[in-house]
C-alpha cells in the first residue's frame, strides 16, 4: 500500500514538473520577441544570419568547388521565397543550400526591402571574394567577406 502511494506521488511530481515547464516556456516567448525590439538584438540576429550564410556557402564550395548560380558583381538582394518565386524576380536564389546547409534562407528580423526579399545582399568580386551584407543593420555596418 505504501509503495502505491509513493508511485502516485512520484507520478504527480513528474506531471507537475512537466506542466510547470510548459507554462514557463509559454511565458518566455513574449520576452524573446520583446528582445528583438532593440537595435542591438536585431543586429545580433543579423550577424547570426550572415554567419549562417557564410558557413553554408563555404560548405557548399568545399563539397562542390563552385556554386550552381552566378553571383552578381554588385550587391543584390537574396531571395527569401521559394525557388519558383525567386525565378520570377531578379533576386539571388540560394535555395540550393536549403536542406543540406541551411534549414531556410536567413531573413533580417525587420524583413527585406520588398516582396520575397531576405534583407541580406550578396555579390562576388572579380577576385572571387564573396561578400554578404546585412543592408538593414542599425548604427553599424554588418558584412562578411570570404
Amino acid at each position: 500500500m505504501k509503495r502505491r502511494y509513493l508511485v502516485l506521488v512520484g507520478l504527480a511530481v513528474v506531471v507537475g514538473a512537466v506542466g510547470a515547464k510548459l507554462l514557463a516556456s509559454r511565458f518566455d516567448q513574449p520576452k524573446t520577441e520583446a528582445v528583438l525590439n532593440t537595435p542591438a538584438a536585431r543586429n545580433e540576429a543579423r550577424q547570426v544570419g550572415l554567419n549562417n550564410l557564410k558557413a553554408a556557402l563555404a560548405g557548399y564550395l568545399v563539397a562542390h568547388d563552385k556554386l550552381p548560380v552566378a553571383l552578381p558583381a554588385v550587391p543584390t538582394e537574396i531571395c527569401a521565397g521559394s525557388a519558383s518565386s525567386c525565378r520570377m524576380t531578379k533576386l539571388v536564389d540560394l535555395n540550393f543550400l536549403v536542406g543540406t546547409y541551411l534549414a531556410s534562407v536567413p531573413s533580417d528580423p525587420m524583413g527585406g526591402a520588398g516582396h520575397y526579399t531576405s534583407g541580406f545582399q550578396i555579390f562576388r568580386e572579380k577576385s572571387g571574394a564573396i561578400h554578404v551584407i546585412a543592408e538593414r543593420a542599425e548604427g553599424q555596418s554588418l558584412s562578411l567577406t570570404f
Side-chain angles (χ1 to χ4, degrees), residues 23-84:
L23 277 173
S25 68
R26 184 157 172 88
F27 288 112
D28 282 344
Q29 195 168 10
K31 291 178 188 173
T32 303
E33 292 170 6
V35 169
L36 287 178
N37 286 332
T38 67
R42 288 189 296 270
N43 280 341
E44 187 175 324
R46 290 176 180 109
Q47 189 64 56
V48 169
L50 289 172
N51 291 339
N52 289 343
L53 284 167
K54 177 183 175 184
L57 288 162
Y60 190 94
L61 286 169
V62 167
H64 302 282
D65 292 326
K66 67 178 197 168
L67 298 176
V69 297
L71 295 179
V74 295
T76 305
E77 188 93 27
I78 296 171
C79 183
S82 65
S84 61

